[in-house]
Amino acid sequence: MSFQDLHDILPFVEKPSRYLGSEINAIKKDLNNVKLRFALVFPDVYEIGTSHFGLQILYHILNSQADIAAERVFAPATDMEALLRRSNLPLFTLESHAPLNDFDILGFSLLYELNYTNILTILDLAGIPFRAEQRDRSHPFVIAGGPCTCNPEPIAEIFDAVVVGDGEQAVLELSNIWLQWQGNPRRDKFDLLKQWSKIEGVYIPSFFEPGMDVNGLQSLTPRFPDYARVKRAIVADLNQMPFPENPVVPCGKPVHDRLRIEVSRGCTRGCRFCQAGMIYRPVRERAPDTLISLADKSITATGYEDMSLLSLSTGDYGCIAPLMERLMARFASGHVAISLPSLRAGTLTPELMRLIKKVRKTGFTIAPEAGSQRLRDVINKNISESEIVETVKDAFNLGWQVIKLYFMIGLPTETMDDLHALVDLIKQLRHIKVANQRKGKINVSIATFIPKPHTPFQWAPQIGLAESEEKIIWLKDQLKFPGVQFKWQNPKVSLLEGIWARGDRRLTNLLINAYQQGCRFDGWSDKFKFHIWQEAFTEQGVDPDFYTVRQRDIDEPLPWNHIDTQVDKEFLQAEWHKSIRAAITEDCREGDCHQCGVCDFEIIEPRTYPDFNGEDLDDSSETNARETFYKKLTLSYSKLGEAKYYGHLELVNFFLRALKRAGIAVKFTEGFHPKPKVSFDDPLPIGLESEHENITVTVPVDVDAQSVVQALNGNLPAGLKVFRDELTPIQSDPKAPQASTYHVALHEGKFDSNALASFTRCSDFTIEIEDRKGKLKKIDLKDMVLDIDLIDSKHLQMLLRSEPGKMLRPANVLSHVFNFPQNQIKQARILKK
């Protein structure tokens, strides 16, 4: 897609920077100079997809290969989808804006079953047939990975290949085999798939024939006797795997706008409902010195002001306290906050409590999952009520104001007694008082339990829609207390997720039907259309109860039986039987091995770091600190071209992180949440370009202005350029009236000289416009428009006055004086001189 094509549609979308691909650390290769074009596809919007670190890892691994270019694409929001269809434009990648159909391999990340309709949106907009059997050599190979692939059957017919398990090694093996295959003039698609099938963790759906028995149960017959099961790929040692030191820094407001470092993978707690705890075994921690090195390099490369440590249970990391202590000490001078993730109840040690007092407080999350101790034992959630209460007390004492509690309803063996226990627990927690503080707030979130494949509860029924709704209504009524907020997941959403989680290949037709009737973003409450799904169930003859409320027989064939996560079925069965007895299984990290089947204790085994053997804590930076004197430095910058699509908050983040990457020591405010002392002129609306804006930065007195200019220009995205304007006042009076010149060039239509003449003759011209708070204000254009010069029928220049409380934009003039519709105004180029 040309930049002009992109420019023609971006003015009409809600968040245009989603589609630019101009982020810091994005890798752009010449597609004509590589042998393999690999598109990494995330079937949700940009803000969610860019927060998934697995995508960043694969992006880094693939682009480290000279012959491979990896580019990203996310599901377009519904406004962009409509524009692409209306304009007859294909979906494109971010880096080169090349059509998706021009790539050799599309790799989808499947993290959530309710993103499945978005897979079809992406393929449809790219002009790629949905089913693998419909695609020939003119189309890309379509593959997938991620946790949903542990039951790939509902969407198996869409993909040529599916990666089950860790993808770091598999993605390179897939790529290298493709490169060899591509060089063979007699290449055949079957030959490539056959070679791919030899890679550990790679599932080729077309190599299995589905069949249904008289009870409607799917079983798969392998086409090749040596390829009957697919064993999950496991990275034995994370320290040996590549990890991005300069991750892409997203535009806009990603859901996780901070540096994320994966400290470990896997969990040994053994919660029987938790799919991730089973399919990511065993625990593999990164060495603490490796983590500190990664943090150093990544903070330098990104300029982030927050860092989060990722894992399924970060509080279980072997030496979490000394690791955090060293990270906090190392980055204190740079004002980088180390975000402590949610801790498991009962893991707040005195060391962690001391460190937590220094950590920025947002929400503190605990997941008891069940209200009664009996039911917590059933699900093997090895925390006691006293540990929950003490953890909440500690959190309030350490400064948290809000505690978030997560529970599930419909767990196996649940009774009303368990729900009463849940209510009693909340009552107890809400009465916790902290000295010299108000009572804290408690947010209770409820979701319907969804049995997932490869867990001990994979045979359990999911409660029906009516029962789920009744229980949520009852709990909502029982928890109407001051200081308690009650939230719940829509039971209809849970029902649909349950269908896809344990579905089979018959659901592919259902997916296509629902998509064609308009289903998109089914996990979003404002986009979820359950009535369409109900119609699709009827049309396709799908009985939701067959996939959800039905109790599975322990010996019946399951659609995912051919997927070997390396957790033995016998272990899952034993855990299922133990759950019925409410018998617990201890954490194997600290106790005996429970023979789950994953570890061979030669290559695959738990890797933990209970002790920190790295460098000693160095606090010399604090003891030797000297007083620094600062000055205010006012610089100018231009915002041109594609930079006009950045909102003001994005612009601020670009500059703040550019200053940090450039190593410029900006002064910070005092207090618990220090902020850099950087200020900007009046924020520009999205779509408006400017040749001259001002930014004021407080820096040490010995910092040279020109060095700041050079450093910033080396760290800002395209379209933003800093310069030193000697005429720029060091400090202007913000209350004084000002005037700005704007040049307008129309893309469509012409200026009406008669409309301008009519405006000129008026003694007053009062209009209503919205202020920044959304309130309507009356403004007389004759007071605010100081001059309008009609250059020709396509070009105009205007001089507009602004003062505190009164802000007029060129779009207001174009709309009211020339009666241009909004679409025409959005297409015009408006440049502030």
Side-chain angles (χ1 to χ4, degrees):
M1 178 184 292
S2 68
F3 179 76
Q4 186 57 51
D5 286 335
L6 193 61
H7 174 74
D8 287 345
I9 59 176
L10 284 186
F12 302 106
V13 298
E14 183 184 0
K15 297 176 181 178
S17 64
R18 287 170 165 169
Y19 309 103
L20 289 175
S22 56
E23 308 101 319
I24 298 300
N25 297 332
I27 300 171
K28 298 185 179 183
K29 296 185 179 182
D30 186 342
L31 295 183
N32 294 316
N33 292 333
V34 296
K35 296 178 181 178
L36 170 58
R37 302 179 179 190
F38 202 125
L40 294 168
V41 189
F42 196 94
D44 210 327
V45 293
Y46 175 89
E47 289 78 6
I48 293 176
T50 52
S51 297
H52 172 49
F53 210 73
L55 194 76
Q56 295 253 25
I57 292 174
L58 297 179
Y59 185 75
H60 167 72
I61 289 173
L62 290 168
N63 277 315
S64 67
Q65 307 297 306
D67 288 339
I68 302 173
E71 300 193 351
R72 297 159 299 141
V73 64
F74 303 92
T78 51
D79 59 345
M80 179 57 128
E81 179 191 350
L83 276 169
L84 290 172
R85 293 189 188 281
R86 230 175 11 245
S87 307
N88 198 28
L89 292 172
L91 186 60
F92 52 90
T93 57
L94 294 190
E95 282 75 6
S96 65
H97 299 140
L100 198 55
N101 200 22
D102 286 354
F103 282 72
D104 303 303
I105 299 176
L106 311 185
F108 281 80
S109 294
L110 304 182
L111 274 74
Y112 183 33
E113 293 90 348
L114 298 194
N115 282 340
Y116 287 172
T117 49
N118 297 344
I119 298 172
L120 302 188
T121 303
I122 291 166
L123 294 176
D124 198 11
L125 289 172
I128 299 171
F130 293 154
R131 297 178 188 271
E133 65 181 11
Q134 298 170 331
R135 298 190 292 266
D136 56 30
R137 282 173 46 187
S138 68
H139 299 112
F141 286 91
V142 182
I143 67 176
C148 289
T149 64
C150 67
N151 178 24
E153 290 311 290
I155 36 88
E157 293 180 357
I158 295 173
F159 295 103
D160 296 294
V162 172
V163 176
V164 180
D166 298 329
E168 287 97 331
Q169 294 166 314
V171 73
L172 278 183
E173 292 184 71
L174 288 164
S175 300
N176 289 332
I177 289 174
W178 184 93
L179 287 168
Q180 296 170 7
W181 171 83
Q182 180 66 12
N184 182 357
R186 301 176 63 183
R187 60 186 178 271
D188 176 80
K189 182 175 180 178
F190 173 81
D191 293 335
L192 178 67
L193 297 181
K194 189 66 175 168
Q195 292 181 64
W196 274 357
S197 71
K198 298 175 183 177
I199 302 171
E200 185 163 271
V202 173
Y203 169 46
I204 308 297
S206 61
F207 286 5
F208 291 80
E209 293 290 342
M212 301 295 165
D213 67 15
V214 293
N215 297 313
L217 302 176
Q218 174 183 296
S219 59
L220 295 177
T221 302
R223 292 175 56 190
F224 306 100
D226 60 343
Y227 187 63
R229 284 174 66 77
V230 177
K231 183 182 289 188
R232 172 172 66 104
I234 301 177
V235 168
D237 186 354
L238 294 182
N239 296 297
Q240 303 302 316
M241 289 296 103
F243 194 83
E245 295 172 352
N246 0 314
V248 176
V249 182
C251 299
K253 294 181 67 177
V255 294
H256 298 301
D257 193 15
R258 61 185 69 93
L259 177 65
R260 290 145 294 144
I261 294 181
E262 183 190 39
V263 299
S264 66
R265 196 175 297 176
C267 177
T268 53
R269 290 286 181 175
C271 298
R272 293 172 179 135
F273 61 86
C274 181
Q275 187 181 63
M278 296 293 165
I279 67 172
Y280 288 120
R281 292 182 172 215
V283 168
R284 292 147 291 158
E285 295 181 350
R286 280 192 167 86
D289 54 344
T290 300
L291 295 172
I292 288 176
S293 174
L294 284 171
D296 269 338
K297 294 173 182 176
S298 299
I299 287 293
T300 300
T302 61
Y304 275 123
E305 54 286 323
D306 289 282
M307 182 193 310
S308 181
L309 307 180
L310 297 180
S311 81
L312 291 175
S313 183
T314 304
D316 287 334
Y317 181 80
C319 55
I320 184 63
L323 172 65
M324 284 197 61
E325 190 168 22
R326 281 159 176 79
L327 287 172
M328 292 168 73
R330 184 175 292 263
F331 295 110
S333 62
H335 298 277
V336 176
I338 313 299
S339 302
L340 189 70
S342 304
L343 288 175
R344 184 184 175 88
T347 60
L348 272 177
T349 64
E351 293 172 287
L352 278 179
M353 290 173 65
R354 178 173 57 84
L355 291 170
I356 287 171
K357 290 180 180 179
K358 304 177 183 179
V359 174
R360 187 174 298 171
K361 310 296 190 297
T362 52
F364 190 95
T365 302
I366 305 174
E369 312 294 0
S372 71
Q373 190 61 51
R374 184 201 70 82
L375 195 53
R376 285 194 293 274
D377 289 344
V378 167
I379 65 176
N380 207 47
K381 186 78 177 183
N382 293 325
I383 53 174
S384 65
E385 182 171 304
S386 62
E387 287 175 324
I388 296 169
V389 173
E390 288 304 311
T391 300
V392 171
K393 283 182 181 177
D394 289 338
F396 282 145
N397 279 314
L398 291 168
W400 267 276
Q401 310 266 321
V402 178
I403 304 296
K404 302 174 184 177
L405 297 169
Y406 285 94
F407 296 92
M408 288 185 284
I409 58 171
L411 287 162
T413 78
E414 179 185 78
T415 68
M416 284 305 296
D417 288 342
D418 299 304
L419 298 186
H420 280 287
L422 190 160
V423 174
D424 291 341
L425 177 61
I426 301 302
K427 287 179 179 178
Q428 184 179 358
L429 297 177
R430 67 179 288 266
H431 287 302
I432 292 175
K433 292 184 179 180
V434 179
N436 303 319
Q437 289 186 28
R438 298 177 299 176
K439 285 184 180 180
K441 295 182 179 179
I442 295 177
N443 290 349
V444 178
S445 291
I446 300 290
T448 303
F449 165 64
I450 302 167
K452 292 294 180 91
H454 303 288
T455 69
F457 289 160
Q458 65 181 352
W459 295 281
Q462 179 174 337
I463 63 172
L465 184 59
E467 183 180 353
S468 180
E469 290 173 338
E470 288 171 7
K471 289 182 175 181
I472 288 173
I473 292 171
W474 185 85
L475 285 169
K476 182 181 178 183
D477 184 60
Q478 295 295 313
L479 293 174
K480 288 182 178 178
F481 303 126
V484 175
Q485 185 179 22
F486 183 82
K487 297 180 179 179
W488 66 94
Q489 183 181 37
N490 185 343
K492 296 182 176 70
V493 171
S494 301
L495 170 67
L496 189 61
E497 184 179 341
I499 292 169
W500 289 106
R502 295 191 290 177
D504 53 38
R505 292 199 186 187
R506 286 172 293 187
L507 296 186
T508 304
N509 288 334
L510 172 70
L511 182 70
I512 294 172
N513 183 300
Y515 166 75
Q516 291 173 339
Q517 293 188 58
C519 287
R520 311 280 193 280
F521 296 102
D522 299 293
W524 294 50
S525 58
D526 61 332
K527 301 287 192 299
F528 184 54
K529 300 172 181 175
F530 189 61
H531 66 283
I532 294 182
W533 282 104
Q534 288 177 304
E535 293 171 6
F537 294 151
T538 301
E539 291 179 18
Q540 294 300 318
V542 171
D543 177 9
D545 289 354
F546 178 82
Y547 296 101
T548 54
V549 302
R550 182 177 63 85
Q551 170 78 52
R552 267 78 169 165
D553 186 84
I554 202 83
D555 296 317
E556 77 174 54
L558 300 173
W560 52 89
N561 274 349
H562 58 300
I563 302 296
D564 179 8
T565 65
Q566 303 200 44
V567 176
D568 292 341
K569 182 178 180 181
E570 291 75 19
F571 172 77
L572 298 179
Q573 289 176 339
E575 286 295 298
W576 168 242
H577 292 308
K578 288 178 74 173
S579 74
I580 304 302
R581 306 193 310 270
I584 63 171
T585 300
E586 298 291 344
D587 186 345
C588 67
R589 176 195 290 262
E590 300 169 354
D592 296 332
C593 173
H594 301 300
Q595 304 296 318
C596 73
V598 170
C599 297
D600 58 18
F601 297 100
E602 294 180 0
I603 298 175
I604 307 300
E605 61 183 348
R607 294 177 185 269
T608 61
Y609 294 86
D611 300 310
F612 191 100
N613 296 318
E615 61 190 46
D616 292 333
L617 185 64
D618 180 12
D619 58 359
S620 60
S621 58
E622 295 184 13
T623 57
N624 297 330
R626 292 184 299 174
E627 185 177 4
T628 303
F629 296 94
Y630 293 89
K631 66 180 179 182
K632 286 188 175 181
L633 183 64
T634 299
L635 302 172
S636 300
Y637 68 92
S638 57
K639 183 181 180 225
L640 303 171
E642 65 183 50
K644 71 179 181 179
Y645 296 115
Y646 300 137
H648 182 66
L649 293 180
E650 289 178 89
L651 186 83
V652 171
N653 273 339
F654 282 138
F655 273 95
L656 295 183
R657 289 167 180 171
L659 288 164
K660 188 178 285 287
R661 285 194 303 276
I664 298 169
V666 178
K667 185 177 182 180
F668 276 69
T669 60
E670 302 295 328
F672 193 69
H673 296 304
K675 300 291 183 184
K677 300 193 78 170
V678 178
S679 60
F680 294 80
D681 280 355
D682 181 63
L684 296 174
I686 292 176
L688 184 64
E689 297 178 77
S690 178
E691 292 180 343
H692 192 291
E693 297 295 313
N694 293 330
I695 175 176
T696 301
V697 187
T698 303
V699 295
V701 292
D702 58 350
V703 171
D704 174 63
Q706 194 55 40
S707 67
V708 176
V709 169
Q710 292 175 354
L712 282 175
N713 283 333
N715 284 281
L716 288 169
L720 295 175
K721 185 175 182 180
V722 180
F723 53 94
R724 178 67 167 154
D725 187 348
E726 298 300 334
L727 299 178
T728 300
I730 297 300
Q731 190 170 7
S732 59
D733 181 3
K735 296 183 180 180
Q738 298 177 358
S740 300
T741 300
Y742 298 89
H743 186 272
V744 181
L746 295 179
H747 180 70
E748 289 186 356
K750 295 180 179 180
F751 287 110
D752 184 350
S753 58
N754 293 326
L756 178 58
S758 175
F759 171 74
T760 304
R761 289 193 298 269
C762 290
S763 58
D764 66 84
F765 199 106
T766 301
I767 64 170
E768 282 190 332
I769 61 173
E770 279 191 4
D771 63 15
R772 292 176 187 169
K773 296 181 179 179
K775 295 181 179 179
L776 288 176
K777 276 194 171 185
K778 290 185 177 181
I779 288 183
D780 186 354
L781 286 186
K782 299 295 290 187
D783 289 339
M784 305 298 290
V785 180
L786 302 181
D787 184 41
I788 298 183
D789 180 18
L790 190 59
I791 300 170
D792 58 39
S793 63
K794 287 280 191 181
H795 300 84
L796 172 149
Q797 190 160 288
M798 64 179 81
L799 182 64
L800 304 184
R801 186 163 70 95
S802 64
E803 58 185 74
K806 288 185 178 181
M807 174 57 65
L808 186 70
R809 296 297 186 192
N812 302 129
V813 177
L814 298 176
S815 173
H816 291 89
V817 173
F818 295 97
N819 293 314
F820 286 147
Q822 285 302 308
N823 281 0
Q824 195 171 346
I825 295 171
K826 287 179 177 180
Q827 285 184 299
R829 186 190 184 205
I830 303 177
L831 174 65
K832 184 180 177 185
K833 305 293 283 186

